[in-house]
């Protein structure tokens, strides 16, 4: 039982390059979330998916797109990376009815 | 809109001293509040939630609706408590986090 997994763990991109961050969960949770963590800013919600087939914008969606591929997987795509997107990205799921979130290990992204 | 504020970015106390991490919130509905902790090189994990009224690792937090606060307290700090702490509020199908407080326990 791996919980929430994220790939890759580290990535360095050049400005303008694109990439997709992958997230998968084996806990059969309906809701999945993408956050970014920046010093002094806490965790900010980028996008979330309350259930398979639905996605909604969070606090900071600009420059990102998401795909809820199936119940297990929720990917985050940067179409044209910018230095302002340098951050640590966390994927999370939530236990329905309890609102407790389970987090992945994070992806550290640097855009030069 | 829901909002969580943690006024202290950094907090440093000595081992054995009491600890209080402040959290204030704004939300029009009935709040579901949480504290999450992130130890060095580990993922975020739930520390406690207000509805369960439990004490985890000696930490407690009381919801004060009048002051819209959910401060985290521990009477005697331990070195292993050094970590990043986030207060969070659940509403409208999402969790909103505060900016976080980095707690350092000095020996």
């Amino acid at each position: 039982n791996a919980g929430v997994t994220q790939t890759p763990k580290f990535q360095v991109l050049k400005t303008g390059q694109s990439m997709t961050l992958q997230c998968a969960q084996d806990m059969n949770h309906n809701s999945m979330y993408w956050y970014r963590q920046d010093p002094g800013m806490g965790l900010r919600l980028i996008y979330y998916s309350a259930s398979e087939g639905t996605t909604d914008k969070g606090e900071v969606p600009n420059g990102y797109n998401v795909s809820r591929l199936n119940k297990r997987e929720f990917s985050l795509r940067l179409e044209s990376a910018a230095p302002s997107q340098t951050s640590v990205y966390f994927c999370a799921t939530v236990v329905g009815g309890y609102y407790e979130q389970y987090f992945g290990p994070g992806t550290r992204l640097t855009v030069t | 809109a829901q909002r969580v504020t943690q006024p202290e970015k950094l907090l440093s106390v000595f081992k054995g001293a009491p600890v209080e991490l402040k959290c204030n919130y704004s939300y029009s509905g009935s709040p579901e509040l949480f504290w999450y902790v992130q130890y060095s090189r580990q993922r975020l994990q739930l520390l406690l939630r207000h509805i369960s009224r439990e004490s985890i690792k000696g930490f407690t937090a009381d919801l004060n609706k009048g002051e819209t606060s959910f401060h985290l307290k521990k009477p005697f700090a331990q070195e292993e408590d050094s970590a990043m702490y986030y207060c969070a509020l659940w509403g409208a199908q999402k969790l909103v986090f505060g900016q976080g407080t980095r707690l350092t326990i000095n020996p």
Side-chain angles (χ1 to χ4, degrees):
Chain A
N1 193 345
V4 181
T5 57
Q6 292 181 235
T7 55
K9 289 187 178 179
F10 302 94
Q11 183 71 49
V12 179
L13 291 178
K14 294 187 176 178
T15 298
Q17 288 185 316
S18 62
M19 79 161 294
T20 300
L21 282 65
Q22 305 287 353
C23 174
Q25 54 108 355
D26 61 3
M27 296 181 288
N28 203 35
H29 292 165
N30 286 321
S31 303
M32 298 184 74
Y33 301 77
W34 276 106
Y35 294 90
R36 58 178 291 172
Q37 182 184 40
D38 303 290
M41 304 292 287
L43 278 86
R44 292 180 291 169
L45 182 64
I46 305 171
Y47 271 94
Y48 66 103
S49 171
S51 61
E52 187 179 352
T54 68
T55 59
D56 286 286
K57 295 179 181 179
E59 184 183 355
V60 289
N62 291 343
Y64 305 94
N65 284 302
V66 290
S67 294
R68 183 73 184 269
L69 304 170
N70 47 55
K71 190 171 186 178
R72 288 188 67 249
E73 299 170 292
F74 188 38
S75 62
L76 179 71
R77 182 160 178 84
L78 287 71
E79 290 291 350
S80 179
S84 61
Q85 294 178 305
T86 294
S87 187
V88 181
Y89 291 85
F90 287 98
C91 177
T93 70
V94 70
V95 180
Y98 293 93
Y99 317 123
E100 175 181 341
Q101 287 203 315
Y102 289 89
F103 284 85
T107 294
R108 187 174 295 275
L109 175 67
T110 301
V111 183
T112 62
Chain B
Q2 61 220 72
R3 186 180 179 88
V4 177
T5 303
Q6 294 178 249
E8 304 140 327
K9 288 187 178 181
L10 302 170
L11 183 63
S12 181
V13 302
F14 286 102
K15 177 182 174 181
V19 174
E20 183 179 47
L21 287 78
K22 292 182 167 51
C23 172
N24 290 91
Y25 68 91
S26 64
Y27 184 56
S28 56
S30 183
E32 298 282 354
L33 285 153
F34 304 82
W35 277 98
Y36 281 79
V37 60
Q38 186 179 27
Y39 299 104
S40 180
R41 291 185 292 278
Q42 295 186 27
R43 67 185 72 192
L44 276 85
Q45 55 189 284
L46 178 68
L47 181 61
L48 54 80
R49 71 197 86 183
H50 91 272
I51 56 173
S52 61
R53 292 184 165 275
E54 56 195 344
S55 173
I56 303 294
K57 299 185 178 182
F59 284 98
T60 59
D62 290 319
L63 176 60
N64 185 324
K65 291 187 178 181
E67 296 183 357
T68 60
S69 68
F70 188 56
H71 303 328
L72 183 69
K73 299 178 183 179
K74 184 170 183 177
F76 306 104
Q78 298 173 296
E79 288 187 64
E80 54 264 34
D81 296 329
S82 292
M84 193 76 179
Y85 291 81
Y86 291 97
C87 182
L89 183 152
W90 177 270
Q93 293 186 316
K94 55 185 180 290
L95 202 61
V96 172
F97 287 84
Q99 301 93 325
T101 298
R102 182 168 297 281
L103 175 65
T104 301
I105 308 301
N106 300 306

